[in-house]
Amino acid sequence: MSYAFPMGGLPAQDVNPEGAAVFKTAYAFIPAITMRDIVTSNLPHWSGTRAWILARPLSGFAETFAQYAVEVTKGGGSDRPEPDKGAEGVVFVASGEMQLTIDGDAHVLGAGGYAYLPAGCGWRVKNTGDAPLQFHWVRKRYEPVPGIDRPTAFVTHERDVAFNTMPNTDNWTTQRFVDPSDMRHDMHVNIVTFQPGGVIPFAETHVMEHGLYVLQGTARYLLNDDWVDVGPGDFMWLRAFCPQACIATGNTPFRYLLYKDVNRHVGLTL
């Protein structure tokens, strides 16, 4: 299994700069071709590392999460990766080898490796391979609830997570890394897969915010009132209540990494 990641580099000078990137009040579409070297950021207390910051909380838009694509050179990494003690995270490895240490327990993750990092845990990451380490990182401020335990860290691989078929379909599945009924968790980061021709057969409209990073395949995706052609490495960023639907195209499965906020009351103050 291969997983898309930003290509970096820089287009040649004869490339038409007119692009497909869109930022609107209901959604943003950031195509893979825009994720180049000149839009990366360095991160404090990380060595040999650059990050494409694809989403961040914005007032009046999507407010609950940040999403990065992170590339670490051989030997690079961080002993102080998360600056916010209240932030939980998920990392998903696209390629390379990650040595991930969580509260003293060491793990080695390759492509398809997944880890949940609870708020306040001590974790470190290092590229122990020869090739660049490339991974996706989702961050969210955890919302504790009195009387409900906090979630604990876990490490797994997507091949070990079941494909849950959506009702009344045989070509639309979700790999749920967390049990949806587990109220300790206030966010889910899952992998959604459509076989060619699979569809979301209605325009979903809901309170959850989304970050969708396309890992494989192609589709036409409804974002608010626009149908957008999407493919590997494209990112879709949806605010609450943005209508969405999907028609998978091409000859291979269409797969994306999906963030959503769940399992909490909404605040009643602005």
Side-chain angles (χ1 to χ4, degrees):
M1 183 69 67
S2 61
Y3 309 96
F5 194 81
M7 64 185 75
L10 190 67
Q13 287 289 290
D14 60 355
V15 172
N16 185 343
E18 182 178 353
V22 174
F23 190 92
K24 296 190 174 184
T25 56
Y27 75 90
F29 173 61
I30 306 175
I33 196 170
T34 69
M35 301 178 200
R36 299 296 188 157
D37 292 353
I38 61 174
V39 298
T40 60
S41 295
N42 297 324
L43 300 174
H45 303 298
W46 286 76
S47 64
T49 299
R50 63 179 183 171
W52 288 266
I53 299 177
L54 304 178
R56 51 155 290 183
L58 289 178
S59 179
F61 191 69
E63 300 179 343
T64 63
F65 75 107
Q67 187 157 340
Y68 302 1
V70 183
E71 185 173 76
V72 184
T73 59
K74 180 180 179 180
S78 179
D79 291 330
R80 300 168 61 183
E82 175 53 71
D84 188 336
K85 292 181 183 289
E88 61 189 329
V90 163
V91 296
F92 179 77
V93 178
S95 67
E97 182 176 279
M98 173 189 288
Q99 180 176 293
L100 177 66
T101 304
I102 308 172
D103 291 332
D105 295 328
H107 310 269
V108 177
L109 282 66
Y114 180 110
Y116 171 74
L117 305 162
C121 77
W123 61 283
R124 306 192 307 271
V125 62
K126 185 175 183 178
N127 178 4
T128 50
D130 292 327
L133 165 64
Q134 299 177 325
F135 66 96
H136 301 280
W137 181 13
V138 178
R139 304 171 60 226
K140 180 185 182 296
R141 181 69 65 87
Y142 182 67
E143 299 177 54
V145 177
I148 296 178
D149 292 338
R150 288 174 175 256
T152 56
F154 67 86
V155 175
T156 187
H157 192 282
E158 75 126 320
R159 64 170 172 259
D160 299 321
V161 178
F163 287 80
N164 295 277
T165 303
M166 301 298 284
N168 303 316
T169 74
D170 59 5
N171 54 13
W172 172 15
T173 61
T174 300
Q175 289 169 277
R176 299 189 177 102
F177 292 83
V178 170
D179 183 343
S181 66
D182 186 343
M183 296 302 295
R184 298 176 302 166
H185 288 273
D186 66 352
M187 76 168 179
H188 293 162
V189 179
N190 298 326
I191 295 178
V192 178
T193 301
F194 291 89
Q195 298 303 318
V199 301
I200 297 176
F202 68 105
E204 293 187 31
T205 309
H206 50 63
V207 71
M208 287 86 78
E209 299 175 350
H210 278 335
L212 298 89
Y213 190 93
V214 180
L215 300 173
Q216 177 188 8
T218 60
R220 297 192 70 225
Y221 217 96
L222 175 65
L223 300 170
N224 198 25
D225 53 0
D226 301 318
W227 283 97
V228 179
D229 291 318
V230 301
D234 292 342
F235 181 71
M236 293 168 277
W237 182 12
L238 282 62
R239 65 177 295 176
F241 301 108
C242 176
Q244 61 177 292
C246 174
I247 303 172
T249 56
N251 301 317
T252 61
F254 174 62
R255 311 185 76 211
Y256 53 82
L257 191 70
L258 171 71
Y259 160 86
K260 61 180 176 180
D261 50 311
V262 295
N263 293 347
R264 294 295 185 267
H265 286 293
V266 296
L268 297 180
T269 57
L270 298 177

